[in-house]
Amino acid sequence: MLISARAASRIFEEETGLVRQQSRRVLLSGLAGQGTRAGGSLLYDEALVRSLARWPEADHAEVLAQCPGGPLVVRLGRGDERAAPVETLAGAGQIIRSQVRARIEEHGSVPLVATVCGYPVRLAELTGLAVLPGASASGSHWAQQRVAVEFREPSEESSRWTRQVTERRLVTGPGPAWLLLGSQPYAGTRRTA
């Protein structure tokens, strides 16, 4: 049965606690299928919405146990819901770039999980990153920097970490668009208020 985006948002709120604006972003990502336009409404398959809303939270300890050095979580912002191929990203400061480069040198790659409100929309293995030419390298303009990301599809060897986040929500607390799970104090498991 098809339901309105408003009804789908209520399901997400009941099952996950996501507010309407967040659930709309998840719906726009296409994880619950493409919406069907009917007049001024967007309709979604109720079974797909309910299935998506029931995804359990990934256990951060299990994810970290399977990802040497921790995965890089990229929280896609408003308007980026459909931008699952994360080839360039803004806002990666010098500290996160240095941490990621060090982990790539140590492990050969870093698991990358692009999420929309905790829902993974892209899994990859990050193999390199660099500030694009013309991007400001001064500390006062770090938020405007564009970073080129080199990645490959997850390999057979990476299936142990992909299983930890496939059809699970990788819920993180507030923080920057880029975060290396396990390295920042605010990147731990979400606490219930």
Side-chain angles (χ1 to χ4, degrees):
M1 171 169 63
L2 294 178
I3 59 173
S4 68
R6 183 180 300 256
S9 290
R10 280 194 296 273
I11 291 170
F12 278 105
E13 185 176 10
E14 292 167 5
E15 295 287 334
T16 67
L18 291 179
V19 297
R20 187 172 178 188
Q21 186 178 33
Q22 293 171 317
S23 62
R24 291 286 174 108
R25 292 185 53 223
V26 172
L27 291 170
L28 287 174
S29 75
L31 289 172
Q34 297 304 316
T36 303
R37 193 141 306 271
S41 298
L42 204 51
L43 306 175
Y44 291 91
D45 182 291
E46 182 179 11
L48 290 174
V49 169
R50 288 191 183 280
S51 174
L52 184 60
R54 289 187 184 119
W55 282 13
E57 286 186 26
D59 182 316
H60 286 219
E62 289 177 20
V63 172
L64 290 169
Q66 299 301 321
C67 299
L72 178 66
V73 180
V74 180
R75 297 186 269 197
L76 298 175
R78 288 185 190 95
D80 294 336
E81 293 88 1
R82 297 175 192 253
V86 286
E87 291 151 1
T88 62
L89 297 166
Q94 182 63 37
I95 293 173
I96 190 75
R97 291 195 315 262
S98 297
Q99 287 178 320
V100 170
R101 282 190 189 115
R103 303 259 167 100
I104 290 172
E105 287 177 18
E106 184 178 346
H107 302 287
S109 66
V110 172
L112 181 136
V113 182
T115 66
V116 172
C117 299
Y119 283 90
V121 294
R122 175 67 190 241
L123 303 178
E125 291 180 2
L126 185 64
T127 58
L129 55 95
V131 175
L132 292 172
S136 171
S138 75
S140 62
H141 298 293
W142 70 269
Q144 286 79 35
Q145 291 180 348
R146 300 286 296 169
V147 176
V149 178
E150 297 172 17
F151 58 89
R152 63 180 179 236
E153 294 303 313
S155 63
E156 289 294 319
E157 293 174 6
S158 61
S159 65
R160 63 180 201 267
W161 73 262
T162 58
R163 280 193 302 266
Q164 299 302 320
V165 295
T166 300
E167 294 192 6
R168 295 171 191 242
R169 294 179 298 122
L170 188 56
V171 179
T172 55
W178 292 58
L179 79 101
L180 198 50
L181 195 65
S183 69
Q184 293 97 349
Y186 51 80
T189 307
R190 178 186 67 145
R191 292 185 186 157
T192 306

